[in-house]
Amino acid sequence: MSLLLGLLAASVFFYIVIYYTVFRGSRCTSQAKLHGKTAVVTGSNTGIGKATALDLAKRGARVILACRSRERAEAAVYDIRRESGNNQVLFMPLDLSSLQSVRDFVDTFLKTEPRLDFLINNAGIIGPGRTQEGFGMEFGVNHLGHFLLTLLLLERLKQSAPSRVVTVSSTGHRIGHIDFKLLESTKDLVQGERHSVKNMQAYCHSKLCNVLFTRELANRLEGTNVSCFCLHPGVVETELGRNMNLIHQLLVLPIAKLFFLDPEGGAQTTLHCVLQEGLEPLSGRYFSDCAVAQVSAKGRDDALAKKLWELSERLTGI
């Protein structure tokens, strides 16, 4: 019995050490207050997005929850208002799998909101399916929808400068690849019948798109006092994998509960990029664990970033 208790105690100690030194991650230390500032957070009815919106609301910001599900978003608005004591938290419908929905969102926003200080491109998806315009879901939602959203809101961001665009990417971008011929012919980042491995490949490819988008955006925003950043949030327990099959969810769930960051922990690098003073000279860079991090060689390829930008312009008709 004593041996069993000793093994149990050692296991608990090992878990605590690993969790707090490897998985827990750094924390955003900014004490900034945001009264009079407005933020848009996509995919903010749950997970990292909701945790980000809550933190900004606690700091006094006017926060727009840009989400697809009205029911879930309105529930999140209620939760955030109650917990933050801030009634300037609103829902505006946005379905990133529809370019028309993106345009409708922007039309509504520009008519009703006089300023935009922070655009946080947080929403993400992994799984099969096509967007309303026929694009692979990861490319259409994770990159193309956010690309169009950002470009249509750029003028308001410039008018409200200094302002920031923060895009949630992933360390998965390191194994990402963009096959432009495949993308133009199939409107997708992977070819053939979808399964879990291909879904993950498409996700990683879309996260490389996020990095390249941020890099090219920074080049085009030089001199405007609008800065942009992308980031890896850490390994976070969210609803990102809700489209995985049941077997894969059952395999991942126990590991997620033990080792993955909770959404609050996963929001810390996003908050760092939004709030930390003095980051403007680092516009276009990639962050992880609340610090600048190195990206893959492809993520530093300016020619690749420009090519993706030009293709994205054609595909969105902007």
Side-chain angles (χ1 to χ4, degrees):
M1 179 63 72
S2 60
L3 178 60
L4 182 61
L5 289 174
L7 288 172
L8 180 60
S11 298
V12 171
F13 175 77
F14 178 73
Y15 166 73
I16 292 173
V17 169
I18 292 295
Y19 178 79
Y20 279 93
T21 59
V22 178
F23 293 98
R24 188 171 186 269
S26 298
R27 312 290 290 185
C28 173
T29 59
S30 173
Q31 300 300 310
K33 298 301 181 184
L34 301 176
H35 300 284
K37 305 289 188 180
T38 298
V40 168
V41 187
T42 69
S44 42
N45 62 287
T46 189
I48 298 171
K50 184 178 179 182
T52 301
L54 174 60
D55 187 283
L56 299 179
K58 286 180 176 179
R59 295 170 187 268
R62 180 175 177 85
V63 185
I64 310 299
L65 274 57
C67 307
R68 181 176 57 85
S69 169
R70 176 175 294 275
E71 181 180 1
R72 299 181 72 187
E74 288 180 345
V77 166
Y78 175 82
D79 291 343
I80 294 170
R81 285 184 175 183
R82 176 174 49 82
E83 191 167 343
S84 68
N86 181 351
N87 286 326
Q88 296 297 303
V89 181
L90 310 170
F91 161 63
M92 285 189 188
L94 172 65
D95 182 354
L96 287 160
S97 69
S98 164
L99 297 181
Q100 185 57 53
S101 176
V102 174
R103 291 186 171 91
D104 291 344
F105 171 88
V106 172
D107 286 344
T108 301
F109 181 88
L110 295 179
K111 288 174 182 175
T112 58
E113 299 295 328
R115 63 180 302 116
L116 176 57
D117 301 273
F118 310 110
L119 172 59
I120 302 167
N121 294 323
N122 165 83
I125 191 170
I126 178 172
R130 294 272 177 169
T131 68
Q132 289 191 24
E133 289 79 18
F135 298 104
M137 196 62 76
E138 293 92 348
F139 178 70
V141 171
N142 299 355
H143 168 66
L144 211 56
H146 281 128
F147 174 87
L148 180 62
L149 177 68
T150 303
L151 264 61
L152 293 178
L153 289 173
L154 270 186
E155 205 53 45
R156 187 56 48 88
L157 284 160
K158 291 175 183 178
Q159 293 166 2
S160 307
S163 54
R164 295 183 181 184
V165 178
V166 176
T167 300
V168 178
S169 180
S170 167
T171 192
H173 85 273
R174 299 182 187 282
I175 57 174
H177 171 74
I178 303 173
D179 184 335
F180 286 97
K181 289 183 178 178
L182 177 66
L183 192 50
E184 295 210 55
S185 63
T186 69
K187 292 188 172 184
D188 203 354
L189 294 164
V190 293
Q191 190 170 28
E193 185 178 348
R194 285 297 194 101
H195 48 69
S196 294
V197 172
K198 285 202 173 181
N199 291 338
M200 182 56 71
Q201 288 175 336
Y203 177 76
C204 292
H205 298 339
S206 74
K207 295 292 104 177
L208 175 60
C209 291
N210 293 154
V211 171
L212 293 170
F213 164 62
T214 300
R215 190 174 185 88
E216 180 65 14
L217 181 62
N219 291 335
R220 293 172 181 252
L221 288 175
E222 191 170 351
T224 65
N225 214 12
V226 180
S227 51
C228 57
F229 312 96
C230 62
L231 64 106
H232 170 56
V235 185
V236 185
E237 183 190 356
T238 68
E239 295 184 7
L240 177 66
R242 59 187 175 271
N243 294 317
M244 292 180 180
N245 64 47
L246 180 60
I247 293 175
H248 283 91
Q249 289 189 44
L250 290 175
L251 289 172
V252 169
L253 185 60
I255 299 173
K257 290 296 184 185
L258 284 172
F259 293 111
F260 289 9
L261 293 170
D262 61 15
E264 182 187 355
Q268 296 305 305
T269 303
T270 298
L271 293 167
H272 177 83
C273 291
V274 171
L275 301 168
Q276 187 62 43
E277 293 183 0
L279 293 186
E280 287 77 11
L282 299 172
S283 185
R285 299 291 295 276
Y286 168 82
F287 286 71
S288 179
D289 212 21
C290 295
V292 174
Q294 187 66 275
V295 296
S296 67
K298 289 177 183 175
R300 301 191 300 273
D301 188 330
D302 284 325
L304 192 64
K306 185 177 180 181
K307 187 173 182 179
L308 176 64
W309 184 284
E310 291 172 349
L311 174 61
S312 300
E313 284 183 325
R314 294 201 305 274
L315 294 176
T316 56
I318 200 165

